[in-house]
Amino acid sequence: MKAIIVRPPATGVQISDVNVSNSGKIKIRTLESGICGTDREIVNGQMSTASTQEGKDYLILGHEAIGLVEQGGYGFKEGDLVMPVNRRGCGKCLNCILGRPDYCETGEFVEAGISGLDGFMREYWYDEPVYLVKVPKSIRDIAILAQPLADIEKSMEEILKVQSRLNWSCSDGTLNCRNALVVGTGPIGILFSLILKTYGLETWITNIRDPLPSEEEIFANVGINYYNSSSGYDKLREQLKFDLIINATGASAETNSSLLTLLKRNGVLGLFGFPISGSFSVDKSATVDMIMGNKVIVGLVNGQKPHFQLAMIHLASWKTLWPNATSKLITKSIKLEDEKEVIQALRKKVEGEIKIKLIWE
Amino acid sequence: MKAIIVRPPATGVQISDVNVSNSGKIKIRTLESGICGTDREIVNGQMSTASTQEGKDYLILGHEAIGLVEQGGYGFKEGDLVMPVNRRGCGKCLNCILGRPDYCETGEFVEAGISGLDGFMREYWYDEPVYLVKVPKSIRDIAILAQPLADIEKSMEEILKVQSRLNWSCSDGTLNCRNALVVGTGPIGILFSLILKTYGLETWITNIRDPLPSEEEIFANVGINYYNSSSGYDKLREQLKFDLIINATGASAETNSSLLTLLKRNGVLGLFGFPISGSFSVDKSATVDMIMGNKVIVGLVNGQKPHFQLAMIHLASWKTLWPNATSKLITKSIKLEDEKEVIQALRKKVEGEIKIKLIWE
Amino acid sequence: MKAIIVRPPATGVQISDVNVSNSGKIKIRTLESGICGTDREIVNGQMSTASTQEGKDYLILGHEAIGLVEQGGYGFKEGDLVMPVNRRGCGKCLNCILGRPDYCETGEFVEAGISGLDGFMREYWYDEPVYLVKVPKSIRDIAILAQPLADIEKSMEEILKVQSRLNWSCSDGTLNCRNALVVGTGPIGILFSLILKTYGLETWITNIRDPLPSEEEIFANVGINYYNSSSGYDKLREQLKFDLIINATGASAETNSSLLTLLKRNGVLGLFGFPISGSFSVDKSATVDMIMGNKVIVGLVNGQKPHFQLAMIHLASWKTLWPNATSKLITKSIKLEDEKEVIQALRKKVEGEIKIKLIWE
Amino acid sequence: MKAIIVRPPATGVQISDVNVSNSGKIKIRTLESGICGTDREIVNGQMSTASTQEGKDYLILGHEAIGLVEQGGYGFKEGDLVMPVNRRGCGKCLNCILGRPDYCETGEFVEAGISGLDGFMREYWYDEPVYLVKVPKSIRDIAILAQPLADIEKSMEEILKVQSRLNWSCSDGTLNCRNALVVGTGPIGILFSLILKTYGLETWITNIRDPLPSEEEIFANVGINYYNSSSGYDKLREQLKFDLIINATGASAETNSSLLTLLKRNGVLGLFGFPISGSFSVDKSATVDMIMGNKVIVGLVNGQKPHFQLAMIHLASWKTLWPNATSKLITKSIKLEDEKEVIQALRKKVEGEIKIKLIWE
């Protein structure tokens, strides 16, 4: 079958005819794939942890996919739309046994399309029911976003648990009095800001430039505040500090030093995007501040099946609540037969891109 | 102004011209009111706890309302749609101070339109921002459901907390392996079954008759199983037992005895609807069963502002996910000028009714 | 070896020479056994769930034991004192896999000395490290209490989780403003009242008679209030109501009806002791009360390894805090060679008994 | 009355006759005071946040005290031993209203003997019942430790809440499989290691030297592993990594960089001791590691009344469990009349000191 393959750690990507045999009780025909930054890091040889499935010399790319059930069973029937959960647990540690390989303790999980398991950029695949999430047909147009959104849902779940150490709700029982800042306006940054609004937090988003017109429309539709941080965070800090900051950039880790200074007492700095360089430093007084203020820095990674399901609910609500914003989240669809364009999209992000889909059928 | 008033404990209801002065920083013009079973109990003199506001000889009815902000401020602006939170705390106990009068410890809360505070079946009212919930315009048609739904959201929050005593999620991290049974197909029963599906539980609903055609359509659209319990629960019990049972009927309390026999180990029986008569008995062996199986019976009551906000999100998601079911939830709208019909609707429920709205403007 | 055996469902108990082969990595010589009500129910043929190990025609009695490691390993060394965890999980459901067969979902667990597994009233046994709890030598005199106490520790854990649905702590962050009532002054009732004081609750205990002198001393030493409920609970109810009530009697289930009337808003009625007869009834108004007040009835059963470990810490603290009370908890020790007395103790409880130990060596 | 006073930010300390009028419903005669590092920082002018009570030009030192109730009421009676809670809330934010000024959001709390409120190094004081914790007479000898221990109890509560985001318990339901490392063997380090053992974690403690003989005895009695980190952590890291690391040193913040490399997936680095200098850096790969491994850095500060009460229980248990270790925790008692020695003790820590007490009566 046709598949998009890579050969990590080598750079490069190609569309090939491959002969794959994978097993699984459900057969799924691929309808569309999403492209994300991780795919491009693999293609460009920047992801050191990328690896092929055991015994193979190439890796089928793709961890965001929507497919059509061709042979069902186990609660899935022909014609159902499904999305695969990409990380699959080690089967040994308790967290994996509980269906939560996002908290895998051994590190021996695999991630389809990334490390140790072929991905979903291929015509069809077989899978186990436990790894498949039903996609409501009414959100098919944006459902591909449920994969990155699942990571964010898990992050919110984690943050709310971390904050359960204190009374974090406001005097009306909501989170409306809490201020959140999302750093970065990539797909993760934008999706995170929408989720924060969904949870009721007053939300800011920032980038080191003015917002693009399409971003402006999204933020206006949803009610998200924008801050241009090209000259730093001083002006913002004078105005307000934050209960929650999400670093969703892949920029230098250095940013985190500044972000700590924006954090309120009991505040949480969530690290989401892998920095491409740099390091952040916590000096004596920032350390004292963290202690005196019960502050937290927490790494946020990977959503699992419950988070995919919650992501579907939230995407469905957004279609109703913020149709204008929602319609801007898929910035491009490329047919697989436009091979040149496909390869180009896998190599480089274009300005203004939020989510690109490859159309298989 | 025009208002719908009652004089508890007397029976009867009338549309009157009243001279009300209430205070509050926001002025809201009433757009629509929902009618619920509690309104009818008050009208028919069956609700012993109904009471007027101090120093008044009548009570303005109505605890479900959507209004239009006429004079805003504090985050609300002219033209915003809002919904009032009906129960307002005692201001003394910690739960009320935390914005959670659903867990009021003194019992000295008031409930607009029910006890101690005038309700919202009137042309306009003034209110405090803290009691107002913004209504997204895109769900205006069904938003009146957010009031009863808030009670259900609170119930789910409570049930999930109760179940946090054990590992309640399935081996894929979801709640998909959990079976829930909702008893009663009134508005609460139907809304509860939709919420349970939203949370991922496999859901059954039951009544002592076959489903009405409109119910059948709703359950089919959402994927809810129906059981006719006119000859008891034996056939159902043979087939399966439940992790969660919600008694959402206002029928005899006796039903609860049977429901306990349907409960799995670690199961929860949630009591929601006030029984009109009867009592339920837990015999020696049922008591041993509760102990050996860590079973819980829990009373569920009242949603607050965070639950109204979550209800809005869920209603928005349902419009996308289950448009057919959602369109059947408002079974009738009556204009206020049709006085006779209004009064009749306040007196008696008609078969097949889910939610009736009174239209003010 | 010598062992105390029963042949359920037949009544009777005998000390026999048996030929047991059981396997396990650790060999433990029995030092002492505790006798509890469950043992007597088995001996007297009143426990319908009592059963022998598969393929055997007798059951070695005994689920409370302290032993001496004779052949160690896996963190246990010769000379260590250990206590076995009596309930062992089904190995299938997630709660059992998590080491929490107290929440077993299949019901396929076994309980040493009770159902499906030989107990510890024998000279020595072999066991797996996972089921053994280290006993600090400094509490050897009272450590046998850790077995029933573990059940109570689990109950407290469960109750605190159930109450995490609301703000249950007082305005000083403690539980000192919460009132608890323990019904019954058997070993469970007394231990439960000590645990409640340990957790900071204001605690009442009740029986249908005046306290025995030894009970009086215990309650005075610990600071527990006593109420004689021989003429019912009316006088108590006038004085105060309770946030938590533990029914620790094995009396008629009927008591629970009265206890519900003593419960405050948001209160919990914990069912611990298996009733020997009767049934309790929740009438219409009690049901409404449960709903309006978010009240909970919860079954409480079985402690596991974490609870045994916590029980050891609490017993150690009691020796320091309440030496007088603690010294009264073991009411008698019988040497195994006093066979007649052993058999008698296994048949019938004597007045004033809290815990009787059989001494093996 | 006689009091020990300081004049921050000036260095120096003196025993003076002062004329204090403070109000409060309970009169308490001081029996003993504990000295801690914070006292010495104030005395030596190193604590920038030290400040006098409003309108006063000196500050009475002392935040660790045990006193005797002279005029009681409100549940306290003459002759009761009590300990004051030192941090008192802002009275404005919800966490303070809930009795949890450890999570104060405004920062407007005061700390007796440190900032904004006179301390307890004086002959007697008046206080409000809400700030007083009863001290069981049987632990009077070591109860002064309950003040620093309360901070640690709060830290454990916080860490357990943070870890509730995942399944942190082992396959036997305990925490026995979790490894904790405490960095620093000052009083906080030693107390933290004892608490970790109390909670069941396998515990290591480290300092950049061999243990003192008295430390060796404590660690042997309790079962704590010691690691000499004078040549860094490489040898330790080869052997094992940690689920929880507590930095309880007041040394350079730099240590934290190394500690992060010792942390397992899902691990927590708790910052407790205020660093005197330095800064720690989290480079690109350590940041990626934090994200991929859901790692947490959390600031830990201040215990409140519930933590003091739990500390009393734990101290009582330690007296029974580890009498040898417990007897070594109070390293010196100085009578107040030995003024020179008192002043010297307030200026400088001596090697091997764990806790010094000043005796007032």
Short mmCIF file of all heavy atoms in Angstrom, two decimals, chain B residues 95 102-103 105 154 158 165 167 178 266 278-280 282-284 291 294-297 299 301, chain C residues 95 102-103 105 154 158 165 167 178 266 278-280 282-284 291 294-297 299 301:
data_model
loop_
_atom_site.label_atom_id
_atom_site.label_comp_id
_atom_site.label_asym_id
_atom_site.label_seq_id
_atom_site.Cartn_x
_atom_site.Cartn_y
_atom_site.Cartn_z
N ASN B 95 -19.00 26.55 53.01
CA ASN B 95 -19.39 26.14 51.66
C ASN B 95 -20.08 27.28 50.91
O ASN B 95 -19.83 27.48 49.72
CB ASN B 95 -20.24 24.87 51.71
CG ASN B 95 -19.40 23.64 52.02
OD1 ASN B 95 -18.56 23.27 51.23
ND2 ASN B 95 -19.60 23.05 53.18
N ASP B 102 -24.85 24.83 47.32
CA ASP B 102 -25.43 23.49 47.15
C ASP B 102 -25.05 22.61 48.34
O ASP B 102 -25.75 21.66 48.65
CB ASP B 102 -24.99 22.85 45.83
CG ASP B 102 -23.49 22.90 45.59
OD1 ASP B 102 -22.86 23.92 45.92
OD2 ASP B 102 -22.92 21.93 45.05
N TYR B 103 -23.94 22.94 49.00
CA TYR B 103 -23.52 22.21 50.20
C TYR B 103 -23.69 23.08 51.46
O TYR B 103 -22.98 22.90 52.44
CB TYR B 103 -22.07 21.75 50.08
CG TYR B 103 -21.86 20.60 49.14
CD1 TYR B 103 -21.08 20.74 47.99
CD2 TYR B 103 -22.42 19.36 49.40
CE1 TYR B 103 -20.88 19.67 47.13
CE2 TYR B 103 -22.22 18.28 48.53
CZ TYR B 103 -21.45 18.45 47.40
OH TYR B 103 -21.24 17.39 46.55
N GLU B 105 -24.44 24.48 54.90
CA GLU B 105 -24.53 23.68 56.13
C GLU B 105 -25.60 24.20 57.10
O GLU B 105 -26.05 23.47 57.98
CB GLU B 105 -23.18 23.68 56.85
CG GLU B 105 -22.08 23.16 55.95
CD GLU B 105 -20.94 22.55 56.73
OE1 GLU B 105 -21.21 21.81 57.68
OE2 GLU B 105 -19.79 22.86 56.38
N LYS B 154 -23.73 19.13 38.88
CA LYS B 154 -23.28 19.03 40.26
C LYS B 154 -23.35 17.57 40.72
O LYS B 154 -22.42 17.06 41.38
CB LYS B 154 -24.14 19.91 41.18
CG LYS B 154 -23.75 19.84 42.66
CD LYS B 154 -24.46 18.73 43.38
CE LYS B 154 -24.15 18.48 44.81
NZ LYS B 154 -24.66 19.39 45.74
N GLU B 158 -20.30 15.30 42.09
CA GLU B 158 -20.36 14.66 43.40
C GLU B 158 -20.12 13.15 43.29
O GLU B 158 -19.36 12.57 44.07
CB GLU B 158 -21.74 14.93 44.03
CG GLU B 158 -21.86 14.43 45.45
CD GLU B 158 -23.12 14.95 46.14
OE1 GLU B 158 -23.94 15.64 45.49
OE2 GLU B 158 -23.28 14.67 47.34
N ARG B 165 -12.80 7.32 45.66
CA ARG B 165 -12.30 6.45 46.73
C ARG B 165 -11.68 5.17 46.18
O ARG B 165 -10.94 4.49 46.87
CB ARG B 165 -13.46 6.11 47.70
CG ARG B 165 -14.58 5.35 47.05
CD ARG B 165 -15.93 5.49 47.74
NE ARG B 165 -16.96 4.99 46.88
CZ ARG B 165 -17.65 3.84 47.08
NH1 ARG B 165 -17.46 3.16 48.17
NH2 ARG B 165 -18.55 3.43 46.22
N ASN B 167 -10.43 2.91 42.22
CA ASN B 167 -10.14 3.11 40.81
C ASN B 167 -11.40 2.83 40.02
O ASN B 167 -11.81 1.67 39.90
CB ASN B 167 -9.02 2.17 40.34
CG ASN B 167 -8.71 2.41 38.89
OD1 ASN B 167 -8.16 3.45 38.53
ND2 ASN B 167 -9.12 1.50 38.01
N ARG B 178 -18.28 1.30 32.33
CA ARG B 178 -19.23 1.47 33.45
C ARG B 178 -20.66 1.57 32.93
O ARG B 178 -20.91 2.28 31.96
CB ARG B 178 -18.88 2.71 34.26
CG ARG B 178 -17.51 2.66 34.92
CD ARG B 178 -17.45 1.60 36.00
NE ARG B 178 -16.08 1.39 36.49
CZ ARG B 178 -15.75 0.38 37.30
NH1 ARG B 178 -16.64 -0.51 37.68
NH2 ARG B 178 -14.51 0.24 37.70
N ASN B 266 -19.27 -1.72 44.80
CA ASN B 266 -18.74 -0.35 44.73
C ASN B 266 -19.71 0.62 44.04
O ASN B 266 -19.33 1.75 43.72
CB ASN B 266 -17.39 -0.27 44.00
CG ASN B 266 -16.37 -1.24 44.54
OD1 ASN B 266 -16.31 -1.46 45.73
ND2 ASN B 266 -15.55 -1.80 43.68
N GLY B 278 -44.46 6.81 49.84
CA GLY B 278 -43.77 5.55 50.03
C GLY B 278 -42.52 5.66 50.86
O GLY B 278 -42.15 6.72 51.37
N SER B 279 -41.87 4.52 51.03
CA SER B 279 -40.60 4.49 51.74
C SER B 279 -39.85 3.29 51.22
O SER B 279 -40.44 2.38 50.65
CB SER B 279 -40.83 4.36 53.25
OG SER B 279 -41.39 3.11 53.54
N PHE B 280 -38.53 3.32 51.35
CA PHE B 280 -37.80 2.14 50.90
C PHE B 280 -37.12 1.48 52.09
O PHE B 280 -36.77 2.13 53.07
CB PHE B 280 -36.84 2.43 49.76
CG PHE B 280 -35.63 3.25 50.10
CD1 PHE B 280 -34.39 2.63 50.36
CD2 PHE B 280 -35.67 4.63 50.12
CE1 PHE B 280 -33.25 3.38 50.63
CE2 PHE B 280 -34.53 5.39 50.40
CZ PHE B 280 -33.34 4.76 50.66
N VAL B 282 -34.28 -1.34 53.58
CA VAL B 282 -33.03 -2.05 53.32
C VAL B 282 -32.95 -3.17 54.35
O VAL B 282 -32.73 -2.91 55.53
CB VAL B 282 -31.83 -1.08 53.45
CG1 VAL B 282 -30.54 -1.77 53.04
CG2 VAL B 282 -32.05 0.19 52.64
N ASP B 283 -33.18 -4.39 53.91
CA ASP B 283 -33.24 -5.48 54.89
C ASP B 283 -31.84 -5.95 55.26
O ASP B 283 -30.83 -5.46 54.75
CB ASP B 283 -34.12 -6.62 54.40
CG ASP B 283 -33.53 -7.31 53.19
OD1 ASP B 283 -32.33 -7.13 52.91
OD2 ASP B 283 -34.29 -8.03 52.51
N LYS B 284 -31.78 -6.89 56.17
CA LYS B 284 -30.52 -7.40 56.69
C LYS B 284 -29.57 -7.75 55.55
O LYS B 284 -28.41 -7.32 55.54
CB LYS B 284 -30.80 -8.65 57.54
CG LYS B 284 -29.55 -9.30 58.10
CD LYS B 284 -29.83 -10.72 58.57
CE LYS B 284 -28.62 -11.61 58.20
NZ LYS B 284 -28.72 -12.97 58.74
N ILE B 291 -22.46 -3.25 52.78
CA ILE B 291 -21.18 -3.24 53.50
C ILE B 291 -20.13 -4.00 52.71
O ILE B 291 -19.05 -3.47 52.41
CB ILE B 291 -21.35 -3.85 54.90
CG1 ILE B 291 -22.32 -3.00 55.73
CG2 ILE B 291 -19.99 -3.96 55.60
CD1 ILE B 291 -22.70 -3.61 57.07
N ASN B 294 -19.07 -2.13 49.57
CA ASN B 294 -18.71 -0.70 49.62
C ASN B 294 -19.73 0.16 48.88
O ASN B 294 -19.38 1.13 48.20
CB ASN B 294 -17.35 -0.45 48.94
CG ASN B 294 -16.19 -1.21 49.51
OD1 ASN B 294 -15.71 -0.89 50.61
ND2 ASN B 294 -15.72 -2.22 48.82
N LYS B 295 -21.01 -0.19 48.98
CA LYS B 295 -22.01 0.54 48.19
C LYS B 295 -22.40 1.86 48.85
O LYS B 295 -22.27 2.02 50.06
CB LYS B 295 -23.24 -0.34 47.97
CG LYS B 295 -22.90 -1.53 47.08
CD LYS B 295 -24.10 -2.40 46.81
CE LYS B 295 -23.63 -3.66 46.06
NZ LYS B 295 -24.74 -4.61 45.87
N VAL B 296 -22.88 2.75 48.03
CA VAL B 296 -23.20 4.11 48.48
C VAL B 296 -24.61 4.49 48.03
O VAL B 296 -24.99 4.23 46.89
CB VAL B 296 -22.20 5.13 47.90
CG1 VAL B 296 -22.65 6.56 48.15
CG2 VAL B 296 -20.80 4.92 48.48
N ILE B 297 -25.36 5.11 48.94
CA ILE B 297 -26.59 5.83 48.56
C ILE B 297 -26.32 7.29 48.84
O ILE B 297 -25.87 7.65 49.94
CB ILE B 297 -27.81 5.37 49.39
CG1 ILE B 297 -27.98 3.85 49.32
CG2 ILE B 297 -29.08 6.07 48.91
CD1 ILE B 297 -29.12 3.31 50.20
N GLY B 299 -27.63 11.47 48.33
CA GLY B 299 -28.59 12.48 47.92
C GLY B 299 -27.93 13.52 47.03
O GLY B 299 -26.83 13.97 47.32
N VAL B 301 -28.37 17.20 45.02
CA VAL B 301 -29.22 18.38 44.93
C VAL B 301 -28.45 19.62 44.49
O VAL B 301 -27.29 19.78 44.83
CB VAL B 301 -29.89 18.66 46.30
CG1 VAL B 301 -28.96 19.34 47.28
CG2 VAL B 301 -31.16 19.50 46.13
N ASN C 95 -8.78 -2.95 40.66
CA ASN C 95 -8.57 -2.63 42.07
C ASN C 95 -7.69 -3.67 42.75
O ASN C 95 -6.81 -3.32 43.55
CB ASN C 95 -9.92 -2.44 42.78
CG ASN C 95 -10.57 -1.12 42.40
OD1 ASN C 95 -10.04 -0.07 42.71
ND2 ASN C 95 -11.69 -1.16 41.70
N ASP C 102 -9.85 -4.62 48.74
CA ASP C 102 -11.00 -4.15 49.51
C ASP C 102 -12.07 -3.61 48.57
O ASP C 102 -13.25 -3.58 48.91
CB ASP C 102 -10.58 -3.08 50.53
CG ASP C 102 -9.73 -1.97 49.96
OD1 ASP C 102 -8.88 -2.26 49.08
OD2 ASP C 102 -9.87 -0.81 50.37
N TYR C 103 -11.66 -3.17 47.37
CA TYR C 103 -12.60 -2.71 46.36
C TYR C 103 -12.70 -3.71 45.19
O TYR C 103 -13.01 -3.31 44.06
CB TYR C 103 -12.19 -1.33 45.83
CG TYR C 103 -12.45 -0.19 46.79
CD1 TYR C 103 -11.40 0.57 47.31
CD2 TYR C 103 -13.74 0.13 47.18
CE1 TYR C 103 -11.64 1.63 48.19
CE2 TYR C 103 -13.98 1.17 48.05
CZ TYR C 103 -12.93 1.92 48.56
OH TYR C 103 -13.17 2.95 49.41
N GLU C 105 -13.79 -6.01 42.40
CA GLU C 105 -15.03 -5.87 41.62
C GLU C 105 -15.64 -7.22 41.25
O GLU C 105 -16.83 -7.29 40.92
CB GLU C 105 -14.75 -5.08 40.34
CG GLU C 105 -14.18 -3.70 40.66
CD GLU C 105 -14.49 -2.70 39.58
OE1 GLU C 105 -15.65 -2.64 39.13
OE2 GLU C 105 -13.56 -1.96 39.20
N LYS C 154 -9.14 1.97 56.54
CA LYS C 154 -9.71 2.01 55.19
C LYS C 154 -11.02 2.79 55.21
O LYS C 154 -11.28 3.61 54.33
CB LYS C 154 -9.94 0.59 54.68
CG LYS C 154 -10.56 0.55 53.25
CD LYS C 154 -12.05 0.60 53.29
CE LYS C 154 -12.80 0.59 52.02
NZ LYS C 154 -12.89 -0.63 51.30
N GLU C 158 -11.93 6.11 53.12
CA GLU C 158 -13.10 6.14 52.23
C GLU C 158 -14.01 7.32 52.59
O GLU C 158 -14.48 8.05 51.71
CB GLU C 158 -13.86 4.82 52.36
CG GLU C 158 -15.01 4.69 51.36
CD GLU C 158 -15.59 3.28 51.32
OE1 GLU C 158 -15.15 2.42 52.11
OE2 GLU C 158 -16.47 3.05 50.48
N ARG C 165 -16.02 15.76 48.36
CA ARG C 165 -16.98 16.41 47.44
C ARG C 165 -17.32 17.83 47.90
O ARG C 165 -17.83 18.63 47.14
CB ARG C 165 -18.25 15.56 47.33
CG ARG C 165 -18.98 15.41 48.65
CD ARG C 165 -19.88 14.18 48.73
NE ARG C 165 -20.30 14.01 50.10
CZ ARG C 165 -21.54 14.16 50.57
NH1 ARG C 165 -22.52 14.42 49.72
NH2 ARG C 165 -21.81 14.02 51.83
N ASN C 167 -16.35 21.18 51.09
CA ASN C 167 -15.34 21.62 52.04
C ASN C 167 -15.73 21.09 53.41
O ASN C 167 -16.68 21.57 54.03
CB ASN C 167 -15.27 23.15 52.10
CG ASN C 167 -14.20 23.59 53.08
OD1 ASN C 167 -13.02 23.41 52.84
ND2 ASN C 167 -14.61 24.11 54.23
N ARG C 178 -16.12 19.04 63.64
CA ARG C 178 -17.01 17.98 63.15
C ARG C 178 -17.34 17.00 64.28
O ARG C 178 -16.45 16.59 65.03
CB ARG C 178 -16.35 17.22 62.00
CG ARG C 178 -16.09 18.08 60.76
CD ARG C 178 -17.37 18.54 60.11
NE ARG C 178 -17.15 19.54 59.06
CZ ARG C 178 -18.13 20.22 58.49
NH1 ARG C 178 -19.39 20.04 58.86
NH2 ARG C 178 -17.85 21.10 57.56
N ASN C 266 -25.13 17.15 54.63
CA ASN C 266 -23.87 16.66 54.08
C ASN C 266 -23.27 15.52 54.90
O ASN C 266 -22.11 15.13 54.68
CB ASN C 266 -22.80 17.77 53.97
CG ASN C 266 -23.29 19.00 53.25
OD1 ASN C 266 -24.04 18.89 52.29
ND2 ASN C 266 -22.88 20.18 53.70
N GLY C 278 -33.34 -7.79 61.21
CA GLY C 278 -34.01 -6.52 61.02
C GLY C 278 -33.77 -5.90 59.66
O GLY C 278 -33.08 -6.44 58.80
N SER C 279 -34.38 -4.74 59.47
CA SER C 279 -34.18 -3.98 58.25
C SER C 279 -34.42 -2.53 58.60
O SER C 279 -35.05 -2.23 59.60
CB SER C 279 -35.15 -4.45 57.17
OG SER C 279 -36.47 -4.10 57.53
N PHE C 280 -33.85 -1.62 57.81
CA PHE C 280 -34.13 -0.22 58.09
C PHE C 280 -34.90 0.38 56.95
O PHE C 280 -34.77 -0.03 55.80
CB PHE C 280 -32.89 0.57 58.48
CG PHE C 280 -31.90 0.84 57.37
CD1 PHE C 280 -31.90 2.07 56.70
CD2 PHE C 280 -30.95 -0.09 57.03
CE1 PHE C 280 -30.98 2.34 55.70
CE2 PHE C 280 -30.01 0.15 56.03
CZ PHE C 280 -30.03 1.38 55.36
N VAL C 282 -36.37 3.89 54.99
CA VAL C 282 -36.17 5.30 54.73
C VAL C 282 -37.46 5.82 54.13
O VAL C 282 -37.77 5.53 52.97
CB VAL C 282 -34.98 5.52 53.76
CG1 VAL C 282 -34.65 7.00 53.62
CG2 VAL C 282 -33.75 4.73 54.24
N ASP C 283 -38.23 6.55 54.91
CA ASP C 283 -39.54 6.96 54.40
C ASP C 283 -39.42 8.18 53.50
O ASP C 283 -38.33 8.72 53.29
CB ASP C 283 -40.53 7.19 55.55
CG ASP C 283 -40.13 8.37 56.41
OD1 ASP C 283 -39.28 9.19 55.99
OD2 ASP C 283 -40.67 8.47 57.53
N LYS C 284 -40.53 8.62 52.98
CA LYS C 284 -40.57 9.72 52.04
C LYS C 284 -39.80 10.93 52.55
O LYS C 284 -38.93 11.48 51.87
CB LYS C 284 -42.03 10.10 51.77
CG LYS C 284 -42.19 11.27 50.82
CD LYS C 284 -43.58 11.90 50.93
CE LYS C 284 -43.47 13.42 50.86
NZ LYS C 284 -44.77 14.10 50.75
N ILE C 291 -31.81 13.84 50.07
CA ILE C 291 -31.56 14.57 48.83
C ILE C 291 -31.22 16.03 49.13
O ILE C 291 -30.17 16.53 48.70
CB ILE C 291 -32.80 14.49 47.91
CG1 ILE C 291 -33.05 13.03 47.52
CG2 ILE C 291 -32.61 15.36 46.67
CD1 ILE C 291 -34.36 12.80 46.77
N ASN C 294 -27.75 16.37 50.72
CA ASN C 294 -26.59 15.69 50.13
C ASN C 294 -26.07 14.58 51.05
O ASN C 294 -24.86 14.37 51.19
CB ASN C 294 -25.42 16.67 49.93
CG ASN C 294 -25.73 17.86 49.05
OD1 ASN C 294 -25.82 17.72 47.85
ND2 ASN C 294 -25.89 19.03 49.65
N LYS C 295 -26.97 13.86 51.71
CA LYS C 295 -26.51 12.87 52.67
C LYS C 295 -26.07 11.56 52.01
O LYS C 295 -26.51 11.25 50.92
CB LYS C 295 -27.62 12.60 53.70
CG LYS C 295 -27.86 13.83 54.57
CD LYS C 295 -28.92 13.61 55.61
CE LYS C 295 -29.24 14.95 56.31
NZ LYS C 295 -30.34 14.81 57.27
N VAL C 296 -25.23 10.84 52.71
CA VAL C 296 -24.64 9.63 52.16
C VAL C 296 -24.79 8.47 53.15
O VAL C 296 -24.57 8.65 54.35
CB VAL C 296 -23.13 9.85 51.86
CG1 VAL C 296 -22.44 8.52 51.54
CG2 VAL C 296 -22.94 10.83 50.72
N ILE C 297 -25.15 7.31 52.64
CA ILE C 297 -25.02 6.06 53.40
C ILE C 297 -23.98 5.23 52.66
O ILE C 297 -24.08 5.06 51.44
CB ILE C 297 -26.34 5.26 53.44
CG1 ILE C 297 -27.49 6.13 53.97
CG2 ILE C 297 -26.18 4.02 54.30
CD1 ILE C 297 -28.85 5.43 53.95
N GLY C 299 -21.31 1.73 52.69
CA GLY C 299 -20.83 0.49 53.27
C GLY C 299 -19.32 0.51 53.40
O GLY C 299 -18.63 0.96 52.48
N VAL C 301 -15.84 -1.68 54.34
CA VAL C 301 -15.33 -3.03 54.55
C VAL C 301 -13.86 -3.14 54.22
O VAL C 301 -13.38 -2.50 53.29
CB VAL C 301 -16.15 -4.05 53.72
CG1 VAL C 301 -15.74 -4.04 52.25
CG2 VAL C 301 -16.02 -5.44 54.28
#
